[in-house]
C-alpha cells in the first residue's frame, strides 16, 4: 500500500445486506473516484469485515470475494481475532474509515476504536450509539428524530439503501387471471420443522378454493430441497398434525424457478434458489411469512404480507435450535419454558413483524397464537380478492421507507470524509 493510502472498511453480515447495502455503496464510491481527473483521485483501498450474525448463511465470504472489489475480506468467525490482533491479518494504514452496513452497530464502533479510525453508521431504523460514532447516515427523518438533540448535528438523511434495489425487468411472471403468492416458511431448522408442514397445508387449502394462484418459495441459501422432504415426513414429529405431504419434488429447466413441489393434494409450488430474489418477489401479490428479518426485506420491496406464528407446537422444543433444543429435551424445563413464552413473552410483545415494530402500529396483519392453516388460507383468499386493501398495505409500507438515491449520498459522505483525512 502507498504511504498515504487510507483504508475504507465496510462492516456487514448477511446476504441481503451485502447485495443491497454493501455493493451499491462500493459501486458508487468507485464511480465517484473514477469520474475525477488523475490529480484529484483519492488513494484508498476497500476492505470488508463480516461480523457474527444469526441470519448469516456462511456463504457471504464467497459471494463478496466473487465481486473482486475488496483488497481484503475477513470472515465472521475471525472477527474477535481481528479485534485482538488486527495486524495478524494485514497492515492497517494510520488513517481510515469504518462504515456500518449490516449486523450490530456496536461491532463497527468497536472496530473503529480498535483501529483508531472514524466511524460512519448507516441507520435504517435507529442509531444506537450516536455518542460513539462520527457520522450518521439516516434512512429517513424518523431516524433523526430519535437521536438525542446533542448528537443530531452528526446526522444526515440520505434515504433508503433498499429503495435502490435494481430489479431485473426481464423477469415477468404476470399472467392475466393468475395471482402469485410467496411462501416464506423460514430458514432455520426450528422454524422449518413447523413452517414446512404448516405452509404446505395452507397452500393446499388455498388451491382447493382458487385454481388461479401460483405459489412460490424462495429457498434460503442455508436450506436444501432434502430438508423440505425431511420436515414433511414422519421423522419430524410436528408433521403428524398436518395432512399435506410432498408427493414429488423435481428439477425444472429453462425457467425462472429451480424445482417444483407437487403435494399429495396436487398443489404445485415453485422453488427458487437465487438469493436474494427480489425480482421474483416483487412480481407477487402477497407473501405469507414467518416472523424474522425476512419481514424487513419484504417491507423494503413494499410487498404486502401476512405474518404467521403458530404457537401450538412450542412444547416440542427438541425441534428447536441451540440451547433451547438441549434444555427442551428435559421435560419439566420444556414445560416451564413453554409457559413463560406463551403467557408472558407473547402477551407482552405488541408487534412481531419489523414494519409494525418500527411504525409502532399495525401496517401488515399478524396472526400469532393457536392458528390453523385453514384459518390462514381463508384470510389469504380474502386479501387476494381485495386489491384495494393490498394496495393500501403497499402504500403504508412505502411511507415507512426512505427516498431513493441513498447509495450515492452515502458514498459522497464517505468520499468527503476521505478527503478530510488526506
Amino acid at each position: 500500500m502507498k504511504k498515504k493510502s487510507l483504508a475504507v472498511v465496510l462492516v456487514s453480515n448477511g446476504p441481503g445486506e451485502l447485495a443491497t447495502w454493501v455493493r451499491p455503496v462500493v459501486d458508487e464510491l468507485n464511480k465517484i473516484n473514477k469520474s475525477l481527473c488523475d490529480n484529484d483521485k483519492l488513494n484508498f483501498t476497500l476492505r470488508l469485515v463480516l461480523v457474527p450474525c444469526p441470519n448469516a448463511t456462511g456463504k457471504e465470504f464467497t459471494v463478496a470475494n466473487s465481486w473482486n472489489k475488496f483488497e481484503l475480506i475477513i470472515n465472521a468467525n475471525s472477527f474477535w481475532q481481528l479485534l485482538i490482533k488486527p495486524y495478524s491479518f494485514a497492515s492497517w494504514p494510520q488513517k481510515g474509515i469504518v462504515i456500518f452496513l449490516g449486523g450490530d452497530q456496536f461491532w463497527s464502533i468497536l472496530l473503529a476504536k480498535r483501529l483508531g479510525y472514524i466511524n460512519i453508521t448507516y441507520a435504517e431504523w435507529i442509531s444506537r450509539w450516536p455518542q460513539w460514532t462520527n457520522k450518521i447516515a439516516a434512512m429517513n427523518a424518523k431516524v433523526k428524530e430519535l437521536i438525542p438533540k446533542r448528537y443530531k448535528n452528526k446526522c444526515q438523511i440520505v434515504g433508503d439503501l433498499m429503495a435502490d434495489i435494481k430489479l431485473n425487468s426481464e423477469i415477468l411472471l404476470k399472467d392475466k387471471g393468475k395471482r402469485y403468492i410467496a411462501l416464506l416458511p423460514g430458514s432455520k431448522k426450528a422454524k422449518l420443522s413447523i413452517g414446512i408442514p404448516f405452509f404446505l397445508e395452507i397452500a393446499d387449502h388455498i388451491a382447493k378454493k382458487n385454481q388461479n394462484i401460483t405459489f412460490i418459495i424462495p429457498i434460503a441459501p442455508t436450506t436444501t430441497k432434502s430438508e423440505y422432504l425431511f420436515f414433511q415426513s414422519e421423522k419430524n414429529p410436528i408433521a403428524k398434525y398436518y395432512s399435506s405431504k410432498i408427493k414429488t419434488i423435481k428439477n425444472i429447466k429453462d425457467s425462472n424457478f429451480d424445482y417444483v413441489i407437487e403435494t399429495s393434494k396436487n398443489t404445485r409450488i415453485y422453488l427458487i434458489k437465487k438469493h436474494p430474489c427480489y425480482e421474483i418477489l416483487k412480481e407477487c401479490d402477497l407473501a405469507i411469512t414467518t416472523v424474522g428479518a425476512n419481514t424487513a426485506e419484504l417491507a423494503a420491496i413494499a410487498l404486502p404480507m401476512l405474518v404467521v406464528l403458530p404457537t401450538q407446537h412450542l412444547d416440542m422444543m427438541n425441534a428447536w435450535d441451540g440451547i433451547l433444543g438441549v434444555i427442551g429435551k428435559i421435560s419439566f424445563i420444556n414445560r416451564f419454558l413453554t409457559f413463560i413464552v406463551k403467557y408472558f413473552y407473547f402477551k407482552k410483545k405488541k408487534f412481531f413483524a419489523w414494519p409494525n415494530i418500527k411504525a409502532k402500529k399495525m401496517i401488515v396483519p399478524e396472526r400469532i397464537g393457536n392458528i390453523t392453516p385453514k384459518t390462514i388460507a381463508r384470510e389469504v383468499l380474502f386479501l387476494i380478492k381485495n386489491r384495494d386493501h393490498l394496495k393500501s398495505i403497499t402504500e403504508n409500507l412505502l411511507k415507512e421507507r426512505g427516498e431513493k438515491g441513498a447509495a450515492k449520498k452515502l458514498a459522497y459522505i464517505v468520499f468527503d470524509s476521505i478527503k478530510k483525512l488526506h
Side-chain angles (χ1 to χ4, degrees), residues 170-184:
E170 292 176 11
I171 295 179
L172 293 171
L173 301 177
K174 293 298 181 189
D175 177 12
K176 286 180 181 177
K178 278 279 184 187
R179 309 303 297 275
Y180 293 85
I181 294 177
L183 306 173
L184 289 85

Side-chain angles (χ1 to χ4, degrees), residues 219-239:
I219 308 178
T222 48
T223 310
T224 62
K225 65 176 182 178
S226 60
E227 286 185 295
Y228 276 73
L229 291 168
F230 175 86
F231 286 114
Q232 59 86 52
S233 73
E234 59 189 20
K235 293 175 184 175
N236 175 16
I238 293 172

Side-chain angles (χ1 to χ4, degrees), residues 14-20 55-57 59-60 63 67 184 187 218-223 258 272-281 294 297:
E17 288 81 358
L18 278 180
T20 61
N55 298 314
T57 65
K59 297 177 183 178
E60 287 77 15
V63 170
W67 299 344
L184 289 85
S187 57
I219 308 178
T222 48
T223 310
D258 297 285
I272 181 167
K273 288 195 297 184
K274 185 189 172 191
H275 186 86
C277 61
Y278 300 123
E279 301 95 340
I280 298 283
L281 287 171
N294 50 328
E297 290 192 65

Side-chain angles (χ1 to χ4, degrees), residues 261-312:
I261 285 173
E262 189 168 338
T263 72
S264 53
K265 295 174 184 175
N266 303 319
T267 304
R268 290 166 74 85
I269 303 169
Y270 295 90
L271 277 60
I272 181 167
K273 288 195 297 184
K274 185 189 172 191
H275 186 86
C277 61
Y278 300 123
E279 301 95 340
I280 298 283
L281 287 171
K282 189 75 175 172
E283 293 289 304
C284 293
D285 298 280
L286 177 70
I288 311 169
T289 179
T290 56
V291 298
N294 50 328
T295 61
E297 290 192 65
L298 294 172
I301 58 171
L303 178 61
M305 68 190 91
L306 175 59
V307 181
V308 299
L309 179 58
T311 60
Q312 58 264 38

Side-chain angles (χ1 to χ4, degrees), residues 308-409:
V308 299
L309 179 58
T311 60
Q312 58 264 38
H313 304 297
L314 289 181
D315 56 331
M316 296 188 181
M317 286 189 178
N318 57 353
W320 290 33
D321 284 337
I323 190 65
L324 286 179
V326 176
I327 62 178
K329 290 179 172 66
I330 307 168
S331 60
F332 75 92
I333 292 180
N334 185 303
R335 287 194 293 272
F336 174 71
L337 283 174
T338 304
F339 179 82
I340 293 294
V341 171
K342 275 188 177 179
Y343 296 100
F344 290 92
Y345 179 70
F346 284 127
K347 287 190 177 181
K348 187 179 178 183
K349 193 170 171 69
K350 195 170 184 181
F351 299 118
F352 289 81
W354 275 104
N356 294 342
I357 291 167
K358 298 309 173 185
K360 295 181 180 176
K361 62 181 180 181
M362 189 75 77
I363 289 178
V364 298
E366 297 181 5
R367 300 298 171 251
I368 316 296
N370 191 357
I371 52 177
T372 66
K374 194 169 187 178
T375 304
I376 298 301
R378 197 180 298 128
E379 184 165 3
V380 169
L381 288 164
F382 171 81
L383 288 169
I384 283 291
K385 283 180 185 175
N386 288 267
R387 296 192 183 218
D388 288 343
H389 187 58
L390 292 179
K391 188 180 176 184
S392 174
I393 293 173
T394 296
E395 287 169 355
N396 285 328
L397 288 170
L398 287 169
K399 283 176 190 174
E400 291 301 314
R401 303 300 309 186
E403 299 295 324
K404 289 188 176 185
K408 191 172 185 178
K409 288 176 188 173

